[in-house]
């Protein structure tokens, strides 16, 4: 039913839509671990990629996130080493 679809859409979170924001390739090497108080914490599987994202692509990714209306409240992205 229409209502169910609406509910599902409302339930979409940055965890679910991360791939849509950064693309398949980046999504495969990263994982959103936390979203609180306007800060998005993302685990990155490789050190070189972590460096690239934190240094060169942070603003670009933040803009992509903020371009989705429901994630406008995210003001900062923190990348950290992880083990995907």
């Amino acid at each position: 039913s229409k209502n169910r679809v609406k509910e599902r859409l409302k339930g979409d979170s940055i965890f679910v839509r991360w791939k849509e924001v950064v693309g398949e390739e980046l999504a495969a090497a990263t994982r959103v671990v936390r979203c609180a108080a306007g800060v998005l914490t993302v685990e990155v599987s490789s050190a070189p990629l972590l460096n690239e994202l934190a240094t060169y692509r942070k603003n670009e990714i933040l803009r992509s996130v903020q371009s989705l209306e429901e994630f406008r409240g995210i003001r900062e992205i923190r990348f950290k080493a992880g083990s995907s």
Side-chain angles (χ1 to χ4, degrees), residues 17-36:
R17 300 188 67 190
W18 181 242
K19 188 191 283 185
E20 192 183 310
V21 173
V22 297
E24 195 96 23
E25 200 182 322
L26 254 188
T30 57
R31 185 166 71 96
V32 175
V33 289
R34 196 157 177 266
C35 183

Side-chain angles (χ1 to χ4, degrees), residues 14 18 21-22 26 30 40 42 49 52-54 56-67 74 77 79:
I14 189 67
W18 181 242
V21 173
V22 297
L26 254 188
T30 57
L40 189 65
V42 179
L49 181 61
E52 181 192 328
L53 293 177
Y56 304 108
R57 301 191 57 191
K58 192 177 191 165
N59 291 336
E60 167 203 337
I61 293 171
L62 184 58
R63 276 197 302 275
S64 297
V65 169
Q66 291 170 335
S67 73
I74 295 173
I77 300 183
F79 294 103

